[in-house]
Amino acid sequence: MSVIAELSIFPMDKGDSVSPYVKRALNVLKSSGLMFQLNPMGTVIEGDWDSVMAAVSDCYKALEADCDRIYMTLKIDARKGREYGMLSKVAAVE
Amino acid sequence: MSVIAELSIFPMDKGDSVSPYVKRALNVLKSSGLMFQLNPMGTVIEGDWDSVMAAVSDCYKALEADCDRIYMTLKIDARKGREYGMLSKVAAVE
Amino acid sequence: MSVIAELSIFPMDKGDSVSPYVKRALNVLKSSGLMFQLNPMGTVIEGDWDSVMAAVSDCYKALEADCDRIYMTLKIDARKGREYGMLSKVAAVE
Amino acid sequence: MSVIAELSIFPMDKGDSVSPYVKRALNVLKSSGLMFQLNPMGTVIEGDWDSVMAAVSDCYKALEADCDRIYMTLKIDARKGREYGMLSKVAAVE
């Protein structure tokens, strides 16, 4: 199954400017080898379930080190028989 | 307050290909006059609270006409003193 | 359409203890006249679209007064022909 | 860290009545040994990160067997030093 996920993650105990922590998570995704696409409300990732969830866990653990409270949302659209879903989903509605 | 929202909306009663309905909602956003940015997991919108929520309602009502069950997620990041948030949020973490 | 929504809303600029602000939003829902059910990750509300979205806006505006950054998630399941959806949805899976 | 998560998961290719599949996921959570609490818009789970995410994966894989398209949302509130968070979070705002 092609799994497309959108991850938003940030600390709740670091004040209202959280970009350094979002950047830390983004760097984890950059080194995950997965296709990803940043947008103002999260980062979309594509891969198989286990690879995507491993990357999500790595992002969480990168913040867990020095954050006392973390908020995360994950939206997933998993579909059989889909390839390059990030591109095809957008093309289908534009 | 600058309100940035990400909307995902689709019918649950039309089978697993929902792009015609997502396209219908996207067209509502296109005619809303609000800045928007499509991504594989939703559409990010920016404006003041009332304009953003009016656009969200218009998207819902465009589907309500002929859909028996609708699923929607809305994520909102509202911040005082921010302008062009969609651009600045991405720039702050890239 | 019966609209069931789950609202989570909190400030990002008040440190990691946000319960006073969640309580403020919950009080708005209590006085909305809508059926609601609190859980550890949000509050589920049931009503028609306009009433539910008006209550969500009132919760947001109750926080906007003294919060510089607000994060909100809203999940909606709207369905034709459903009554007492909060009860029937749970009963259908227990 | 105490991890509280809310999971919503359903197939998009089975029509608008998805309770048999939600029930299947709920049964996975029941046998996970984790504390959980069902509500009309999802199921709240509490545990450590790895146990919670393993349960989420088991729920997904229980549906993957015979569903062609799956939609999932996961909200997570992880906090250091919290015990029985599901109870204390609700008590703090009621």
Side-chain angles (χ1 to χ4, degrees):
Chain A
M1 253 184 173
S2 141
V3 171
I4 301 178
E6 184 185 65
L7 172 67
S8 306
I9 188 167
F10 58 87
M12 289 176 61
D13 59 311
K14 306 295 184 201
D16 64 346
S17 178
V18 294
S19 47
Y21 302 88
V22 175
K23 197 165 190 167
R24 195 192 294 178
L26 190 58
N27 287 336
V28 167
L29 295 178
K30 283 180 181 172
S31 54
S32 73
L34 293 173
M35 277 187 292
F36 70 95
Q37 189 189 92
L38 174 66
N39 72 67
M41 289 301 286
T43 304
V44 179
I45 322 164
E46 183 168 9
D48 63 80
W49 173 268
D50 291 334
S51 314
V52 167
M53 296 308 274
V56 168
S57 282
D58 291 345
C59 289
Y60 169 77
K61 292 182 178 173
L63 265 61
E64 191 188 29
D66 59 355
C67 298
D68 290 341
R69 190 169 188 180
I70 296 167
Y71 195 79
M72 186 187 107
T73 65
L74 186 67
K75 294 192 294 190
I76 285 191
D77 171 8
R79 193 172 192 180
K80 275 180 187 142
R82 178 176 59 194
E83 293 193 9
Y84 304 106
M86 282 167 68
L87 295 176
S88 61
K89 276 191 78 177
V90 169
V93 298
E94 266 189 326
Chain B
M1 255 185 174
S2 142
V3 172
I4 300 179
E6 184 184 65
L7 172 67
S8 306
I9 189 167
F10 58 88
M12 289 175 63
D13 60 311
K14 305 294 183 201
D16 64 345
S17 178
V18 294
S19 45
Y21 301 90
V22 174
K23 197 165 190 167
R24 193 191 294 177
L26 190 58
N27 286 335
V28 168
L29 294 178
K30 283 179 181 174
S31 54
S32 72
L34 293 173
M35 277 187 290
F36 71 93
Q37 189 188 93
L38 174 67
N39 71 68
M41 289 301 285
T43 304
V44 179
I45 322 165
E46 183 170 6
D48 61 81
W49 173 268
D50 291 334
S51 314
V52 167
M53 296 308 274
V56 168
S57 284
D58 290 346
C59 289
Y60 169 78
K61 290 180 177 171
L63 265 61
E64 191 188 30
D66 59 353
C67 298
D68 290 340
R69 192 168 186 181
I70 297 167
Y71 195 79
M72 186 188 109
T73 66
L74 186 67
K75 294 193 296 188
I76 285 192
D77 171 8
R79 192 172 193 180
K80 276 181 186 144
R82 179 177 59 196
E83 293 192 8
Y84 303 107
M86 283 167 68
L87 296 175
S88 61
K89 276 191 78 177
V90 169
V93 297
E94 269 190 324
Chain C
M1 253 184 172
S2 142
V3 171
I4 301 180
E6 183 183 68
L7 172 66
S8 304
I9 188 167
F10 57 88
M12 288 176 61
D13 59 310
K14 305 296 185 201
D16 64 346
S17 178
V18 294
S19 44
Y21 301 89
V22 174
K23 196 165 191 168
R24 194 191 295 177
L26 189 58
N27 288 336
V28 168
L29 294 178
K30 282 180 182 171
S31 55
S32 71
L34 293 174
M35 277 187 292
F36 71 94
Q37 189 187 94
L38 173 65
N39 72 67
M41 288 302 284
T43 303
V44 180
I45 321 164
E46 183 169 7
D48 62 80
W49 173 267
D50 292 334
S51 313
V52 167
M53 297 308 274
V56 168
S57 283
D58 290 344
C59 289
Y60 168 79
K61 292 181 177 173
L63 265 62
E64 191 187 31
D66 59 354
C67 298
D68 291 339
R69 192 168 188 181
I70 296 167
Y71 195 79
M72 186 187 109
T73 67
L74 185 68
K75 294 193 295 190
I76 284 190
D77 171 8
R79 192 171 192 180
K80 274 179 188 147
R82 178 177 59 194
E83 292 193 9
Y84 303 106
M86 282 166 68
L87 295 174
S88 62
K89 276 191 78 178
V90 169
V93 298
E94 270 191 323
Chain D
M1 255 185 174
S2 141
V3 172
I4 301 178
E6 183 183 67
L7 173 66
S8 306
I9 188 168
F10 57 88
M12 288 174 64
D13 60 311
K14 305 295 185 200
D16 62 347
S17 179
V18 295
S19 46
Y21 302 89
V22 174
K23 197 166 190 166
R24 194 191 295 177
L26 190 58
N27 287 335
V28 168
L29 295 178
K30 283 179 182 172
S31 56
S32 71
L34 293 173
M35 276 187 293
F36 71 94
Q37 188 187 96
L38 175 66
N39 71 69
M41 288 301 284
T43 304
V44 179
I45 322 165
E46 184 168 7
D48 62 82
W49 173 268
D50 291 334
S51 314
V52 167
M53 296 308 273
V56 168
S57 283
D58 290 345
C59 289
Y60 169 77
K61 290 180 177 171
L63 266 60
E64 190 188 31
D66 59 354
C67 298
D68 291 340
R69 190 168 188 181
I70 297 168
Y71 196 80
M72 185 187 110
T73 67
L74 186 68
K75 294 193 296 190
I76 285 192
D77 171 8
R79 193 172 192 178
K80 277 180 186 146
R82 178 177 61 195
E83 293 192 9
Y84 303 107
M86 283 166 68
L87 296 175
S88 62
K89 275 191 80 177
V90 169
V93 297
E94 269 188 324

